[in-house]
């Protein structure tokens, strides 16, 4: 049940179409991570519009949480700033709804399952559909406990992106890959998010192994900090997720220059993965 808003198609279909179109053009997807409400809602709206203009294929919208699961210091600090500014789930859904008039790229919420469970799966999914979200990334939801959310997302036409890490056993990785919708999130390194100076050994081989076991696109995230690293990952993956490096652009820019800095950086990432 994908929906259509002023900003364009949403849901799993929108994610699939955006990734397929980027691949058909010879390029690979760039999916920036943006913290909702950092430093305030209006800035986030401007950032979403900026990364869309810069050519991002889709966007992960981080839902601030007081006890982050796998987030490094840069994203943790952004969550703290957003929560201090009064960010809430009501404001998140309102932000997404407002953005659909000007932002065409699909957006997925990265949220702790505790937030979804507290609201109630049916209610959370319904509000996501109404706002124009295309799906969820839920990093702390075990495969064995995901059936109810999975069914609700499939019924609503929303993507439920699963994560595979370097420590995931092969048999379990295959099960996760088969259940993921929209795309499969391949975590490049063990540990928390954050920029690294080099890609981990074995990443390229691991992505190639996963590709033989799933038909959904594979996007790689965690630790990718530069256009050169994104280009290297794009040689084998369908796309690259960049979080801490994007958040840092907004945090460290001169006053009034944060949105422009993010747009410029995302544009560089897109150019690096544009292909022939």
């Amino acid at each position: 049940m994908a929906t259509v808003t002023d900003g364009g198609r949403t849901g799993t279909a929108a994610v699939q179409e955006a990734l397929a179109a980027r691949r058909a053009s010879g390029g690979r997807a760039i999916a920036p991570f943006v913290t909702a409400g950092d430093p305030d809602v209006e800035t986030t709206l401007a950032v979403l519009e900026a990364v869309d203009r810069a050519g991002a294929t889709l966007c992960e919208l981080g839902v601030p949480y007081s006890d982050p699961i796998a987030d490094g210091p840069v994203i943790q600090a952004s969550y703290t700033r957003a929560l201090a500014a009064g960010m809430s789930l009501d404001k998140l859904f309102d932000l997404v709804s407002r953005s659909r008039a000007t932002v065409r790229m699909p957006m997925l919420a990265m949220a702790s399952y505790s937030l979804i469970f507290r609201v109630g799966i049916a209610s959370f999914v319904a509000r996501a559909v109404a706002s124009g979200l295309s799906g969820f990334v839920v990093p702390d939801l075990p495969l064995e406990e995901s059936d109810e959310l999975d069914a609700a997302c499939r019924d609503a036409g929303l993507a439920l992106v699963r994560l595979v890490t370097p420590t995931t056993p092969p048999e379990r990785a295959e099960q996760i890959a088969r259940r993921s919708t929209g795309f499969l999130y391949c975590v490049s390194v063990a540990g928390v998010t954050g920029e690294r100076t080099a890609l981990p050994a074995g990443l390229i081989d691991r992505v190639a192994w996963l590709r033989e076991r799933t038909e959904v696109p594979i996007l790689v995230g965690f630790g990718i900090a530069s256009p050169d690293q994104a280009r290297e990952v794009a040689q084998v993956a369908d796309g690259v997720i960049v979080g801490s490096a994007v958040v840092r652009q907004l945090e460290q820019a001169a006053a009034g220059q944060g949105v422009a800095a993010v747009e410029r950086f995302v544009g560089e990432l897109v150019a690096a993965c544009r292909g022939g």
Side-chain angles (χ1 to χ4, degrees):
M1 188 184 69
T3 61
V4 177
T5 70
D6 290 344
R9 194 171 174 85
T10 64
T12 307
V15 175
Q16 293 171 334
E17 290 168 6
L19 291 170
R22 184 55 56 94
R23 192 171 186 90
S25 72
R28 297 296 181 267
I30 290 295
F33 171 96
V34 174
T35 294
D38 176 33
D40 54 59
V41 169
E42 296 306 316
T43 300
T44 303
L45 179 59
V47 167
L48 291 173
E49 294 170 343
V51 299
D52 194 36
R53 285 194 304 268
T57 306
L58 52 89
C59 182
E60 271 188 15
L61 196 55
V63 183
Y65 182 49
S66 59
D67 189 20
I69 303 301
D71 299 299
V74 173
I75 293 178
Q76 284 188 37
S78 73
Y79 280 6
T80 298
R81 290 190 297 268
L83 291 170
M87 191 60 193
S88 65
L89 287 176
D90 287 342
K91 291 181 179 180
L92 169 78
F93 290 124
D94 180 66
L95 166 65
V96 174
S97 183
R98 290 174 59 197
S99 74
R100 297 310 304 166
T102 54
V103 176
R104 294 197 62 83
M105 64 183 175
M107 290 176 284
L108 299 97
M110 177 173 265
S112 169
Y113 183 63
S114 63
L115 299 175
I116 300 171
F117 182 80
R118 186 176 65 190
V119 172
I121 288 175
S123 176
F124 199 94
V125 169
R127 295 184 71 183
V129 170
S131 71
L133 277 171
S134 285
F136 308 121
V137 183
V138 189
D140 57 350
L141 178 61
L143 184 67
E144 296 80 3
E145 299 175 20
S146 66
D147 287 355
E148 186 177 357
L149 181 59
D150 182 89
C153 286
R154 290 178 188 273
D155 288 346
L158 297 181
L160 181 56
V161 173
R162 314 283 184 149
L163 294 87
V164 173
T165 76
T167 59
T168 305
E171 182 178 347
R172 185 174 180 81
E174 289 193 53
Q175 294 173 344
I176 292 171
R178 286 197 298 267
R179 295 284 297 277
S180 194
T181 54
F183 63 89
L184 177 64
Y185 192 136
C186 177
V187 177
S188 66
V189 294
V192 298
T193 60
E195 300 144 287
R196 269 73 168 184
T197 57
L199 295 176
L203 174 62
I204 303 302
D205 290 341
R206 184 150 48 89
V207 173
W209 183 87
L210 286 168
R211 188 177 296 287
E212 295 176 353
R213 289 157 176 83
T214 182
E215 296 182 356
V216 300
I218 299 170
L219 273 63
V220 174
F222 279 53
I224 299 167
S226 71
D228 285 344
Q229 290 176 335
R231 183 185 296 110
E232 186 176 352
V233 172
Q235 298 304 309
V236 64
D238 296 289
V240 181
I241 300 166
V242 183
S244 295
V246 171
V247 173
R248 190 184 294 278
Q249 293 289 327
L250 185 63
E251 176 190 9
Q252 296 187 343
Q257 299 301 311
V259 174
V262 171
E263 183 171 358
R264 182 168 54 252
F265 180 62
V266 171
E268 292 170 354
L269 294 169
V270 171
C273 298
R274 186 165 285 144

